[in-house]
Amino acid sequence: MKLYSALFVLSLIWGMSFMFIKVLLEIFDPWQIVFLRCLLGIVTIIPLFLITRQRVDWKRLPIKKLLFVGFLNAGLPWGLIAWSETFLDSGYTAILNATTPIWTTMMGVFFFSVSLQWKQWVGVMIGFIGIMLLMDVDAPGLSKNQLLLGIVLMLVATCCYGYSSQYAKKHLQHTTVWITASSTLFAGMLLSALMMFLTDGWAVPENPIHYNSVLSLIGLGVFGSGIAYLLYYYMISAGSAEFATLVTYLVPVSAVMWGSVLLDEMIHRSAYWGLMLIFAGVYLTGKRGTKKNVLNLEHDRSA
């Protein structure tokens, strides 16, 4: 029961993260949002790290590999997701984020010598059909070029998730989840700070910070970036990687629901067909075969 409760809470948190980003974009630029959410996530995790008295062998930490995973698993994709939400509604970005396991599969095939069974190849093709269907929708208030740019940004972000997941699986298996989570947020904060410097993002926001923005920042940083990581890794350790990836199916539904109720977003009907095809593709690509080298999707990421 605890595992299912964690799964439900995590789907609500990560589903709301897309809505929080949409609200924060009224005041902050994408890289400012990434920096703040990473900072708040670290502030959340470190006290828990100290309270639980985690031991760290600092001399044996693979610093470069941890930073690389952090850049590709938080800093870059979170910036791209926030940028995409300047064009897309939060519900659309959440639907596209659900393609992460499919891209994880493809990254494994292209870069990590992973082989797939025919069912998994069918799943990949079905998932791509779902993406193509999303590209053909008529999003309210958007030109076709804006829609396509937003979709491309989201797909690049999910590719980053996919590659970093495979890389972490190969190189960081013996690193504790506490170190992986905190270093991921730290690397994301470093990258976003650099991008803010290059884009003049350190300037004080022109629009005033209102009550909703503060709540969204707390929700995105403390819960969406700090608590959510701990819940996700808890489900992996107490349950299984397969169980944890069930959140892939729940997050888009949660995000569409929150966006509709709280932001009055409208999702085109054909987008739901795209979502169903993506779900089918994710299910098939995540099917485990009897071969030892068949991909086991261990990681799914969110906004």
Side-chain angles (χ1 to χ4, degrees):
M1 188 63 184
K2 290 182 179 180
L3 282 173
Y4 284 98
S5 298
L7 179 67
F8 177 73
V9 172
L10 182 59
S11 68
L12 292 179
I13 292 175
W14 272 348
M16 292 189 76
S17 293
F18 295 93
M19 182 192 68
F20 291 147
I21 292 172
K22 196 70 174 181
V23 172
L24 291 171
L25 282 170
E26 297 176 2
I27 297 176
F28 303 103
D29 70 28
W31 294 111
Q32 288 175 330
I33 293 174
V34 176
F35 179 83
L36 291 171
R37 72 178 293 185
C38 288
L39 177 61
L40 289 175
I42 291 173
V43 170
T44 303
I45 288 180
I46 288 181
L48 297 175
F49 182 89
L50 296 175
I51 291 173
T52 54
R53 298 181 179 180
Q54 300 292 319
R55 294 183 178 180
V56 181
D57 186 353
W58 298 102
K59 295 181 179 180
R60 300 183 63 182
L61 283 181
I63 301 297
K64 293 181 180 179
K65 293 176 181 179
L66 285 168
L67 290 176
F68 180 72
V69 169
F71 290 151
L72 285 186
N73 199 40
L76 183 57
W78 286 356
L80 293 173
I81 289 171
W83 188 8
S84 74
E85 287 205 43
T86 62
F87 303 104
L88 303 177
D89 285 343
S90 61
Y92 278 102
T93 56
I95 291 172
L96 289 164
N97 190 72
T99 64
T100 296
I102 296 175
W103 292 112
T104 304
T105 301
M106 298 310 298
M107 292 297 140
V109 171
F110 291 142
F111 300 106
F112 295 91
S113 302
V114 174
S115 60
L116 304 182
Q117 293 183 323
W118 69 269
K119 288 183 179 180
Q120 294 173 303
W121 281 115
V122 171
V124 170
M125 290 186 288
I126 291 175
F128 284 146
I129 292 173
I131 294 171
M132 296 302 295
L133 188 58
L134 286 178
M135 289 183 174
D136 196 43
V137 302
D138 294 321
L142 288 179
S143 68
K144 183 61 68 173
N145 289 337
Q146 289 175 317
L147 176 65
L148 291 178
L149 178 56
I151 289 174
V152 169
L153 290 172
M154 273 303 304
L155 294 181
V156 174
T158 53
C159 284
C160 290
Y161 284 150
Y163 187 89
S164 64
S165 296
Q166 292 288 359
Y167 186 89
K169 178 182 177 181
K170 181 177 181 179
H171 297 286
L172 300 178
Q173 286 185 337
H174 302 295
T175 306
T176 67
V177 296
W178 289 92
I179 293 297
T180 304
S182 57
S183 62
T184 294
L185 293 173
F186 179 73
M189 188 172 66
L190 289 179
L191 180 61
S192 59
L194 174 62
M195 294 303 297
M196 287 168 61
F197 176 77
L198 295 176
T199 60
D200 198 29
W202 287 101
V204 178
E206 296 180 359
N207 296 328
I209 301 177
H210 47 73
Y211 180 71
N212 289 338
S213 299
V214 174
L215 291 180
S216 296
L217 195 55
I218 294 173
L220 184 63
V222 175
F223 292 94
S225 304
I227 301 299
Y229 263 117
L230 299 179
L231 284 173
Y232 181 76
Y233 288 123
Y234 162 73
M235 289 192 299
I236 290 178
S237 60
S240 66
E242 291 79 9
F243 181 84
T245 56
L246 289 176
V247 76
T248 301
Y249 299 94
L250 299 179
V251 168
V253 178
S254 172
V256 170
M257 177 191 71
W258 288 121
S260 176
V261 173
L262 299 178
L263 298 179
D264 295 325
E265 294 180 348
M266 298 294 293
I267 302 296
H268 195 275
R269 184 177 298 177
S270 61
Y272 289 106
W273 288 108
L275 176 61
M276 293 300 104
L277 288 174
I278 290 171
F279 279 175
V282 169
Y283 174 75
L284 289 174
T285 55
K287 293 287 285 183
R288 296 183 64 184
T290 55
K291 295 182 179 181
K292 292 183 179 180
N293 60 350
V294 171
L295 175 64
N296 175 17
L297 291 176
E298 290 192 359
H299 295 276
D300 171 54
R301 299 291 186 266
S302 64

